[in-house]
Amino acid sequence: MPTKKKPQVTPTPERRRELLATAAEVFAAQGYNATTVRRIADEAGMLAGSLYYHFDSKESMIDEILSTFLDELWQGYDAVLAAGLGPRETIEALVTESFREIDRHRPAVAIYQKESKYLATQPRFAYLADSQAKFEKVWLSTLERGVAEGTFRDDLDIRLTYRFVRDTVWVAASWYRPGGHHSPEEIARQYLSMVLDGIALRT
Amino acid sequence: MPTKKKPQVTPTPERRRELLATAAEVFAAQGYNATTVRRIADEAGMLAGSLYYHFDSKESMIDEILSTFLDELWQGYDAVLAAGLGPRETIEALVTESFREIDRHRPAVAIYQKESKYLATQPRFAYLADSQAKFEKVWLSTLERGVAEGTFRDDLDIRLTYRFVRDTVWVAASWYRPGGHHSPEEIARQYLSMVLDGIALRT
DNA sequence: TAACCTACCAAACACTTGTTAGGGAACGGC
DNA sequence: GCCGTTCCCTAACAAGTGTTTGGTAGGTTA
């Protein structure tokens, strides 16, 4: 035998992230409840019990996946909001930032989409509801600012508009595949073009 | 004891639909895998085993829920397509019809959204993939017709546009509540206005 | 060499899951 | 009254679930 099979020297936090990445991939593909810890361990090349050396429960895995994602998301959003742009530019920046997050955390976003409503009922995941409330506040106020300034139409139900914009952005995580034909920025550009100007030809 | 507790004379097919309705409600709220048959039975006021007098498995319940919904959906879609309208009018009619289906089958639509990708892998639910393929064909060809006719913009990725329109319509099932402020037709009108003309004010 | 730590395995645990088999109450037709 | 049907209950089953416990190979440190 020339060499060892594996380096076996990956430090602790590195290994944690690897395992969380594979867990997120399986959660996103199968759904949280439909995913067994044995399946995750299988995908990671180990046995089910061994996962409990790194994590103390299956729930704590999805918890860490989601909270890590949300932390990074809000870091990006807060940076955009701190720039003090106009309503339209803020929306454009938020959407672009969102697609970048989808590009970076696709499984996490997909999990968030599918499971957050169910998880948010548990006290442990109260931060999901908090995040959603903050989310709504930011987008709604930006839209209202735009309506007041005459940037956005005033003949639409503002809450309907909010859900429209929010959903069109985030459902993209269900079909988006990194390394596809379009970069996140290109997708954001086209999405913004559709949302802002519509798909009908202007005459 | 003055009277009997229950009428107890509901005919068979009626009772089936009642049970399927409550099952659909729970499936939509909790997710299919997270829902136990005991929970469904609880909600229906009976014990788990009793469900198996009406259905032969949990899987056959969601099967019947989804296939019933899809049958009715395509009945509506086919009627629209048979009318032979122009591209823009076809899109408008399809979207309006979709919101009517969401109004009538909200739980079924929510289940379809969340579980279809996972279920479609099983042979029993092959019709889900079939339906999705037909769906894509109808919408894509209509959009392409509109681009060719000069009704829709030609500077957008057509598949991106398709997913955009499709998603914006169907995710509404996740927040829509029958009996709210807006009728399905009113929501369809505003959605179409946003999709076709955008949310930015025209100058 | 010895003690120690990291990262995993092997095997089991308690519990929940979907599902089944047998029984029985209410009711209508005869 | 009797029979059959409808609809549900009681009680259990086997399989699968997340999790725990004790052990151990291999590397690092002393």
Side-chain angles (χ1 to χ4, degrees):
Chain A
M1 285 153 207
T3 59
K4 308 286 164 84
K5 295 178 186 173
K6 295 217 176 172
Q8 204 80 322
V9 280
T10 41
T12 302
E14 188 80 22
R15 187 70 177 128
R16 263 183 89 86
R17 262 179 301 177
E18 283 179 23
L19 292 175
L20 280 180
T22 67
E25 213 75 53
V26 184
F27 283 152
Q30 316 247 14
Y32 173 69
N33 284 285
T35 300
T36 69
V37 294
R38 282 169 179 80
R39 181 73 213 288
I40 299 174
D42 235 49
E43 213 76 24
M46 51 197 245
L47 292 186
S50 308
L51 283 174
Y52 288 79
Y53 172 73
H54 300 276
F55 311 97
D56 44 84
S57 72
K58 178 187 175 186
E59 208 180 59
S60 77
M61 293 189 209
I62 197 176
D63 191 347
E64 194 164 335
I65 291 170
L66 290 177
S67 57
T68 301
F69 155 64
L70 283 180
D71 283 351
E72 201 170 313
L73 175 69
W74 280 107
Q75 205 172 323
Y77 273 17
D78 288 337
V80 167
L81 297 173
L85 304 169
R88 180 175 174 130
E89 289 75 21
T90 300
I91 294 286
E92 289 175 347
L94 287 177
V95 168
T96 305
E97 177 63 25
S98 300
F99 278 105
R100 287 207 193 94
E101 297 296 336
I102 292 175
D103 187 53
R104 268 199 289 257
H105 293 98
R106 184 187 46 79
V109 176
I111 296 168
Y112 180 82
Q113 287 270 119
K114 256 195 250 182
E115 319 284 356
S116 73
K117 188 186 283 184
Y118 163 67
L119 290 174
T121 62
Q122 299 171 241
R124 174 173 193 166
F125 295 92
Y127 65 89
L128 292 176
D130 295 347
S131 178
Q132 200 201 343
K134 193 177 166 192
F135 203 86
E136 180 170 343
K137 199 182 199 174
V138 166
W139 286 78
L140 257 186
S141 65
T142 306
L143 287 172
E144 282 166 350
R145 208 152 46 96
V147 171
E149 282 191 12
T151 312
F152 301 135
R153 294 167 55 182
D154 61 354
D155 61 331
L156 297 169
D157 183 305
I158 195 80
R159 296 194 64 85
L160 214 60
T161 309
Y162 157 64
R163 288 192 277 243
F164 174 74
V165 177
R166 175 197 63 183
D167 293 342
T168 54
V169 169
W170 291 110
V171 289
S174 63
W175 53 260
Y176 181 76
R177 291 294 169 271
H181 293 120
H182 304 289
S183 69
E185 287 80 9
E186 171 62 17
I187 294 183
R189 211 185 51 76
Q190 293 217 33
Y191 258 67
L192 280 167
S193 178
M194 288 189 276
V195 169
L196 292 169
D197 298 327
I199 67 170
L201 192 69
R202 302 211 172 188
T203 54
Chain B
M1 286 154 211
T3 60
K4 307 288 164 84
K5 295 179 186 176
K6 297 222 173 165
Q8 203 80 321
V9 280
T10 42
T12 302
E14 189 80 22
R15 187 70 178 127
R16 262 183 90 86
R17 262 178 301 176
E18 283 180 22
L19 292 174
L20 280 179
T22 67
E25 213 76 53
V26 184
F27 283 152
Q30 316 247 14
Y32 174 70
N33 283 287
T35 300
T36 69
V37 293
R38 283 170 179 81
R39 181 73 213 287
I40 299 174
D42 235 47
E43 213 76 23
M46 52 198 244
L47 291 186
S50 308
L51 283 174
Y52 288 79
Y53 171 75
H54 299 275
F55 312 97
D56 44 86
S57 72
K58 178 188 175 187
E59 208 179 60
S60 77
M61 293 188 210
I62 198 176
D63 192 347
E64 193 164 335
I65 291 170
L66 290 177
S67 57
T68 301
F69 155 64
L70 282 179
D71 283 351
E72 201 170 313
L73 175 69
W74 280 107
Q75 206 172 322
Y77 273 16
D78 287 338
V80 168
L81 297 172
L85 305 169
R88 179 175 175 129
E89 288 75 21
T90 301
I91 293 287
E92 289 175 347
L94 287 177
V95 168
T96 305
E97 178 63 25
S98 300
F99 278 105
R100 288 208 192 94
E101 296 296 336
I102 292 175
D103 186 53
R104 268 198 289 255
H105 293 97
R106 185 187 46 80
V109 175
I111 295 168
Y112 180 81
Q113 286 269 120
K114 256 196 249 180
E115 320 285 353
S116 72
K117 188 186 282 183
Y118 164 68
L119 290 174
T121 62
Q122 300 171 241
R124 173 173 193 167
F125 295 93
Y127 65 89
L128 292 176
D130 295 348
S131 177
Q132 200 202 342
K134 194 177 166 191
F135 203 87
E136 179 170 343
K137 199 182 200 173
V138 166
W139 286 78
L140 257 186
S141 65
T142 305
L143 287 172
E144 281 166 351
R145 210 152 45 95
V147 170
E149 282 190 12
T151 312
F152 301 136
R153 293 166 56 181
D154 62 354
D155 61 330
L156 297 168
D157 183 304
I158 193 81
R159 296 193 64 85
L160 214 60
T161 308
Y162 157 63
R163 288 193 277 242
F164 173 76
V165 176
R166 176 198 61 184
D167 294 341
T168 54
V169 169
W170 290 110
V171 289
S174 63
W175 54 259
Y176 180 77
R177 292 292 169 273
H181 293 120
H182 303 291
S183 69
E185 287 79 9
E186 171 62 17
I187 294 182
R189 213 185 50 76
Q190 293 217 32
Y191 257 67
L192 280 168
S193 178
M194 288 189 276
V195 169
L196 292 169
D197 298 327
I199 68 170
L201 192 68
R202 301 211 172 188
T203 53

